[in-house]
Amino acid sequence: MLAAKKDRGEAPGGGDTPAGPRHVAIIMDGNGRWAERKGVSRLEGHRAGVEAARRAVRAARDCGVTIVTLYSFSTENWSRPDWEVRHLLGLLRRFFREDLMELAGEGVRVRILGDHESLPPDLKKLVEEAEDSTAGNTAFTLQIAFNYGGRDEIVRAAASLARKAAAGGDAKVTEEALAAELDTAGVPDPDLVIRTSGEQRISNFLLWQAAYSEFIFLDLLWPDFGKRELEEAIAEFHRRERRYGGRKAKAASAP
C-alpha cells in the first residue's frame, strides 16, 4: 500500500522541480520475515534480497532514474548474530567479485556510503578498489549504504570540518560546507525514498539528504519488490505536489 499523499513544492534556490525522480533511495526491509513466511532460513532471505536489489537497479535504469541508493547494512546491524553478520559481509564481497565488472562495463559508478575504516581490512580494500575503478563512469550511479548510519555520517562530517578548522582552514560552518563532507558529497539528494515491509520510519537513513524527499511505504517484503512496484511508486511520485518551504508546485508531470 502506498503511503498517504503529501504536499511539497519549489526546490531550494528557486526554479521548478525537474521531472523525476532522478535519485531514488530504498530501505530494503523484510528479508527475515520473507524467509520466515516461506519456511526457509534467514540466509535464503538475504540471498533473495540481493536478487531483488539487482532487479531494482535494472528497473530503475529502465525507468530513467540515474541514481539509486540502497540501504543494505546499518551501523546498528553489527548487533545481529555473528553468523548473520558474516553472511551479510560475504554477500557484499560476492557483489564486488561477481557484479562489479558487469556494472563497470555498463558505465555505472559505484559508491559505498558509511564508515569504511571499521570494515574488515579485505573488505575495506575491495570498497576502495570498487570506488576508484568506477569513479569516471557517468551513465548511472549506484550507492550502497553499508556500515552506514545517518547520525554517524553527520558526526563524521562535523568532525572533518573541525579538523580542517583546527588546521587553519575556514572555520565557518554552513549547510554547503557540511554537505561537502557527507558520504554523498557531489550527489543530488534523493527525490524519492521507498521503504518496504510495511514499516513507516526511516531508521537512521540519509537523515540530512532526505529533508525534502517524498516517502512511499510499501506493505510488501523486500524480496518481492520488482519493476512493477518501482513503476507504481514513481507514478505516485508524479501525482504529488511538492513543497520546499515555498509555494505549491507540481512535482513532475506524468510522462
Side-chain angles (χ1 to χ4, degrees):
M1 178 183 293
L2 296 175
K5 182 175 177 180
K6 292 183 272 188
D7 287 337
R8 302 270 189 213
E10 185 175 320
D16 292 334
T17 305
R22 179 165 69 159
H23 180 180
V24 174
I26 306 176
I27 301 172
M28 306 181 294
D29 191 19
N31 292 345
R33 277 168 282 177
W34 182 90
E36 184 177 348
R37 291 181 185 179
K38 296 288 185 181
V40 298
S41 70
R42 287 181 66 86
L43 302 186
E44 288 299 324
H46 291 310
R47 281 193 277 267
V50 170
E51 289 304 316
R54 292 188 177 109
R55 290 196 303 271
V57 171
R58 289 194 295 268
R61 296 170 73 182
D62 290 343
C63 292
V65 175
T66 57
I67 305 165
V68 166
T69 301
L70 302 176
Y71 198 13
S72 64
F73 190 91
S74 74
T75 51
E76 292 80 15
N77 287 156
W78 293 105
S79 63
R80 292 187 178 189
D82 288 345
W83 60 266
E84 188 172 3
V85 171
R86 287 196 300 271
H87 179 71
L88 291 169
L89 294 177
L91 288 176
L92 186 61
R93 291 185 178 97
R94 182 177 175 182
F95 161 77
F96 289 125
R97 293 174 182 138
E98 296 183 6
D99 292 58
L100 184 61
M101 185 173 296
E102 179 181 352
L103 291 171
E106 296 174 354
V108 176
R109 181 186 183 190
V110 176
R111 300 181 71 177
I112 309 299
L113 312 182
D115 181 6
H116 297 179
E117 297 305 316
S118 60
L119 292 175
D122 70 308
L123 193 50
K124 180 175 180 290
K125 183 179 179 181
L126 288 173
V127 164
E128 292 171 347
E129 289 176 348
E131 292 189 325
D132 290 344
S133 65
T134 64
N137 292 344
T138 59
F140 187 89
T141 298
L142 173 61
Q143 299 187 129
I144 300 174
F146 196 93
N147 193 26
Y148 174 88
R151 290 180 176 179
D152 175 72
E153 178 187 29
I154 293 170
V155 168
R156 288 187 285 107
S160 178
L161 285 179
R163 287 192 298 270
K164 291 180 177 179
D170 188 354
K172 185 177 181 181
V173 178
T174 65
E175 288 191 14
E176 292 75 17
L178 185 60
E181 299 297 328
L182 296 174
D183 298 342
T184 54
V187 174
D189 292 341
D191 303 293
L192 173 62
V193 177
I194 300 170
R195 179 173 186 150
T196 57
S197 85
E199 304 291 349
Q200 297 190 23
R201 57 182 181 272
I202 60 174
S203 297
N204 203 17
F205 182 51
L206 300 180
L207 298 181
W208 178 282
Q209 299 90 336
Y212 286 106
S213 302
E214 291 297 314
F215 284 81
I216 290 178
F217 301 99
L218 302 177
D219 283 342
L220 85 165
L221 302 174
W222 174 245
D224 294 325
F225 187 90
K227 186 175 183 179
R228 183 181 69 178
E229 288 73 26
L230 180 62
E231 289 175 337
E232 290 175 351
I234 291 175
E236 170 63 13
F237 173 87
H238 283 296
R239 287 191 290 268
R240 292 188 178 182
E241 306 284 343
R242 305 187 77 190
R243 291 187 186 277
Y244 296 87
R247 63 176 176 80
K248 184 187 295 185
K250 192 68 176 175
S253 299

